[in-house]
Amino acid sequence: MSFRSLHDGGWDTLFDADGKMLFEYQFKKDVFEQGVPPKLRPDVWKYLVELYPCTSPLLHRLEYIVAAASRYDNLLDAACAAEAAGDETFRQNKKIIDKDVARTDREHPFFAGDENPNLTALQNLLLAHTMLDPELGYVQGMNDIAGTLLYVMKFELPTFWCFAAVMKTMRNNFINIELHEELQLLKDTVGYLDPPLHRHMSACADPDADWLFCHRWLLLNFRREFDLDAIVPLWERMWAQHSTSHFNIVIAVGILEMHRDQILAIRSPDELLGFLQHLAEGLDVHVVIARAQEALARLTSTPSEALPTSIQSLVTPAVGETFAPPPRLGFVRVRGSNRKQGRPLAVTPMAPLQTAPYGVSPHQYTPQ
């Protein structure tokens, strides 16, 4: 059996009799080069965000679905209990979440309108995540990540666990928001690929805020540089991790090189910051992807040992994690009237899970 592109009906032939993926390398290469057909995204993204490792058999995934549904229910119960108990940390998290949810992509049809159930689902999963990771809690910007995942996945339960998987890789962004290592890697990569551009940008940079004009790009993986529909093909190529686990850095390089002439004409830190912050109005995501892929090809055409030590990690693909069901919660399950009455969460009850044949998408979570 040979690999077939996802765009050529290859998804149905990608797995063996046990449900394990047969062509992981070709699969990720295909996603990196061509993206994912829209109708397959709710299934494919689970593998791209490593909710399901490609080596996981169908039986393990079915067990995971059951465990994940139960645990998400526990998290929502815990959120209700925290509000009922007057927990101050929960109150502060919820206050910020409510504000951010109310302004998440409201111009897009998926989130537009009053009493939109998608906003309720977004609120639920963000509050549940504060129970999953109470040390981190809620940090502004998480709504942008979760909202995009909900737009693709459509349903609350699979969105939550995909969001949790993404947050495992992005968590440090929201803790160490300075992103010194990422910004340094970007500087070093530009310095290698385009020394004159690097020298000019470094000369324009504020000495006390070195290259922070690119900070927002890396903090939220360009979410605020592109609208909801445009960010989807960009993220799935990042998550494919084909030839690099730092495609976000290469994307930033591609954007800078696309505007090289304008940047070289800039003479002050404030002017450079203003220019880069307003690039979103004119960025074509498909052009950005093509330029980033071109920049990556220039890097990978050189043996990694021949690259400067500071950027060798750029062309070292990440290794996936071992598959395991979600660990048990560290609190007692709470049942009470608050949950049933929808306070503080207007929780949409989930349909009973059915054991379904392989290939069934998260639509098994269709709300009642």
Side-chain angles (χ1 to χ4, degrees):
M1 182 183 297
S2 59
F3 175 78
R4 286 165 52 194
S5 169
L6 300 182
H7 294 266
D8 191 30
W11 181 251
D12 294 331
T13 63
L14 192 55
F15 301 87
D16 65 16
D18 293 325
K20 295 181 180 180
M21 188 175 290
L22 293 169
F23 305 102
E24 179 178 355
Y25 174 83
Q26 293 92 329
F27 160 68
K28 291 185 175 180
K29 183 174 184 288
D30 185 49
V31 170
F32 180 77
E33 293 178 347
Q34 302 189 64
V36 181
K39 67 179 181 179
L40 293 179
R41 280 181 176 136
D43 292 316
V44 173
W45 276 32
K46 293 176 184 177
Y47 292 88
L48 294 180
V49 304
E50 295 187 355
L51 179 65
Y52 294 161
C54 296
T55 55
S56 64
L58 172 59
L59 181 60
H60 285 188
R61 294 196 297 275
L62 293 175
E63 292 173 349
Y64 183 96
I65 289 170
V66 174
S70 176
R71 191 176 185 201
Y72 184 60
D73 198 36
N74 280 349
L75 290 167
L76 292 175
D77 285 343
C80 290
E83 183 177 54
D87 183 275
E88 179 61 21
T89 299
F90 179 85
R91 190 187 72 81
Q92 291 294 334
N93 281 326
K94 186 176 184 296
K95 180 180 178 181
I96 303 172
I97 287 172
D98 289 348
K99 289 182 179 180
D100 282 358
V101 166
R103 57 192 178 195
T104 301
D105 291 298
R106 298 306 302 279
E107 73 286 351
H108 193 282
F110 188 76
F111 288 112
D114 297 330
E115 299 183 2
N116 186 325
N118 295 321
L119 296 176
T120 301
L122 180 59
Q123 181 203 42
N124 286 349
L125 63 93
L126 289 172
L127 287 169
H129 194 268
T130 67
M131 298 290 104
L132 181 70
D133 190 349
E135 181 182 0
L136 178 62
Y138 178 77
V139 182
Q140 287 187 303
M142 290 182 182
N143 61 306
D144 294 308
I145 308 300
T148 306
L149 290 164
L150 182 61
Y151 174 56
V152 169
M153 305 303 295
K154 305 304 181 190
F155 300 106
E156 187 177 325
L157 179 58
T159 298
F160 175 78
W161 289 111
C162 284
F163 176 57
V166 170
M167 284 303 301
K168 286 175 65 179
T169 63
M170 292 189 68
R171 190 177 190 274
N172 285 340
N173 289 22
F174 294 97
I175 295 175
N176 179 26
I177 60 172
E178 289 82 9
L179 301 180
H180 291 307
E181 292 182 4
E182 293 279 283
L183 289 169
Q184 187 62 50
L185 183 57
L186 173 59
K187 288 175 58 179
D188 292 342
T189 305
V190 174
Y192 174 74
L193 292 175
D194 194 334
L197 180 61
H198 174 269
R199 287 194 295 271
H200 180 78
M201 292 183 65
S202 296
C204 281
D206 185 331
D208 297 323
D210 201 13
W211 281 55
L212 285 182
F213 36 69
C214 297
H215 175 270
R216 190 178 72 179
W217 295 1
L218 303 181
L219 179 65
L220 296 176
N221 283 339
F222 307 93
R223 177 60 188 87
R224 294 186 179 171
E225 277 50 65
F226 296 94
D227 64 28
L228 191 53
D229 291 289
I231 197 63
V232 168
L234 192 72
W235 276 6
E236 58 198 17
R237 286 168 170 85
M238 287 174 50
W239 292 333
Q241 299 192 58
H242 177 68
S243 300
T244 180
S245 57
H246 296 284
F247 194 51
N248 59 332
I249 300 296
V250 188
I251 292 168
V253 172
I255 292 173
L256 293 173
E257 290 190 332
M258 286 171 61
H259 300 86
R260 186 178 191 274
D261 292 342
Q262 296 99 310
I263 292 172
L264 290 176
I266 291 173
R267 293 289 179 257
S268 73
D270 290 343
E271 186 182 358
L272 182 59
L273 177 62
F275 176 76
L276 294 179
Q277 284 188 337
H278 291 89
L279 278 180
E281 300 172 3
L283 288 178
D284 182 322
V285 69
H286 299 291
V287 174
V288 169
I289 289 170
R291 289 298 295 264
Q293 289 173 336
E294 177 187 337
L296 182 61
R298 286 150 57 197
L299 289 166
T300 56
S301 65
T302 303
S304 60
E305 61 272 15
L307 293 171
T309 304
S310 61
I311 65 170
Q312 286 182 4
S313 63
L314 200 66
V315 293
T316 303
V319 178
E321 297 183 5
T322 303
F323 180 83
R328 296 181 64 184
L329 294 178
F331 54 78
V332 178
R333 183 183 180 88
V334 178
R335 291 288 187 185
S337 59
N338 284 343
R339 172 69 183 279
K340 293 178 181 178
Q341 295 174 12
R343 295 178 296 141
L345 313 176
V347 178
T348 302
M350 298 298 170
L353 291 171
Q354 303 293 327
T355 300
Y358 177 72
V360 172
S361 72
H363 302 298
Q364 61 192 10
Y365 303 115
T366 304
Q368 295 174 342

